[in-house]
Amino acid sequence: MRTFFLIIAASFSLGKSSCQNTVSSDSAQLQCNVCRQILYSDTGFIDVIIRINASSLQGIKAGTYAKVQESIPQGAICDFPVKTNAIATAKGSAVKFLWMSFPLSNSEVRYRIKLPEIAGTFVISGVFSFVDDQTQIITIPITGDSLIHFR
């Protein structure tokens, strides 16, 4: 039996956005504009949840083009257990959720990954971006534990 470790990259810096992102380390609740939550399963899967609090994002308007783009470990198996109003794709080490017309409400997207017999340390990272007068990019931080064990 192998044990896998997945280290999640967390960056609280923002790209060109003037949005503020803060995360409460003692709660998995939405405490920021855009957050990532990792849920471990005893079946060897992890669920990755991205929560977007659109009402607190400066510059975002109804009907705006928006995207979540995540980098996952090469070789990870990805699926989408929950249907959303975004177009969801996974190819290679990229997972994307695309809105041609982003709703001005709180949104949540979810994907599930499993690492087949791959050994090593892995990183998940990602950004949320949207277009107002220019492209705004927000690095997605994590709530909860940043170390995931795969057995």
Side-chain angles (χ1 to χ4, degrees):
M1 181 182 303
R2 291 185 182 180
T3 299
F4 298 98
F5 297 95
L6 179 67
I7 297 177
I8 311 300
S11 172
F12 294 90
S13 64
L14 300 178
K16 297 178 180 177
S17 178
S18 59
C19 303
Q20 297 299 312
N21 247 1
T22 59
V23 177
S24 170
S25 61
D26 60 346
S27 173
Q29 299 298 315
L30 181 63
Q31 301 286 327
C32 58
N33 297 337
V34 183
C35 294
R36 178 186 305 108
Q37 181 182 9
I38 307 294
L39 301 175
Y40 175 74
S41 164
D42 289 335
T43 61
F45 289 93
I46 63 167
D47 282 346
V48 181
I49 303 167
I50 309 294
R51 291 188 175 95
I52 305 160
N53 184 359
S55 61
S56 66
L57 292 172
Q58 297 175 6
I60 197 163
K61 299 174 183 81
T64 297
Y65 169 87
K67 177 174 70 171
V68 166
Q69 182 163 341
E70 296 268 284
S71 294
I72 62 173
Q74 189 69 33
I77 298 167
C78 180
D79 69 19
F80 303 98
V82 177
K83 186 168 175 71
T84 69
N85 60 353
I87 300 166
T89 62
K91 185 174 181 181
S93 63
V95 175
K96 297 178 185 176
F97 294 91
L98 174 67
W99 294 266
M100 297 307 284
S101 180
F102 190 77
L104 281 184
S105 60
N106 292 346
S107 295
E108 179 178 292
V109 293
R110 180 184 296 235
Y111 62 94
R112 177 174 289 158
I113 63 172
K114 180 173 178 98
L115 294 173
E117 299 296 318
I118 302 172
T121 301
F122 307 99
V123 175
I124 291 179
S125 60
V127 296
F128 172 72
S129 59
F130 64 93
V131 178
D132 57 7
D133 294 332
Q134 59 183 336
T135 301
Q136 303 291 321
I137 300 171
I138 301 170
T139 300
I140 304 171
I142 298 170
T143 59
D145 293 334
S146 62
L147 185 63
I148 304 295
H149 300 277
F150 280 92
R151 295 178 193 77

